[in-house]
Amino acid sequence: QVQLVESGGGLVQAGGSLRLSCAASGRTFSTYAMGWFRQAPGKEREFVAVITLSPGSTYYADSVKGRFTISRDNAKNTIYLQMNSLKPEDTAVYYCAAGLGVRVVTTMGYDYWGQGTQVTVSS
């Protein structure tokens, strides 16, 4: 089983940057696809980005392409989400998730979830 803990959320002004981290436990971390999702109040949880197994392909939601970058460090059992050019509509609780690499742009593709970290972007 995998346990995930997000960190790095906070308050930032529009146009600013923030870097989220997700630390995972378990010896099989490198075998999972790792994704980031977000959920704003009153809205469904939506896909943000995913990094798959070797060679580590990445996919992004259209809303964040060119602004966000997902990466992973298997040696540290950690994934990151670098968020640049932040917009107020990026405000949400951000969750990291681990899955087997199928249906990776939907919540159905993931078996393990962190508790989330709040990101607030002010105008």
Side-chain angles (χ1 to χ4, degrees):
Q1 197 171 35
V2 176
Q3 293 182 324
L4 307 170
V5 180
E6 303 94 337
S7 63
L11 176 64
V12 64
Q13 291 188 334
S17 298
L18 208 58
R19 180 181 172 91
L20 305 183
S21 299
C22 175
S25 64
R27 295 188 179 94
T28 60
F29 171 79
S30 63
T31 69
Y32 289 91
M34 300 294 296
W36 285 98
F37 289 74
R38 66 188 183 187
Q39 187 168 23
K43 296 184 178 180
E44 298 293 320
R45 190 169 299 187
E46 67 174 349
F47 169 76
V48 175
V50 60
I51 184 164
T52 60
L53 304 180
S54 181
S57 299
T58 59
Y59 302 89
Y60 298 91
D62 288 341
S63 59
V64 306
K65 284 181 180 178
R67 300 189 298 120
F68 291 10
T69 302
I70 187 172
S71 61
R72 69 189 297 166
D73 186 335
N74 290 335
K76 296 182 178 179
N77 288 348
T78 301
I79 64 167
Y80 306 93
L81 186 68
Q82 179 65 47
M83 305 184 294
N84 299 324
S85 301
L86 283 162
K87 305 174 181 179
E89 51 262 45
D90 295 319
T91 295
V93 176
Y94 283 70
Y95 299 87
C96 67
L100 297 178
V102 296
R103 308 187 72 170
V104 292
V105 300
T106 75
T107 58
M108 297 178 64
Y110 300 86
D111 299 306
Y112 306 102
W113 295 84
Q115 294 185 218
T117 185
Q118 178 70 49
V119 172
T120 302
V121 184
S122 65
S123 61

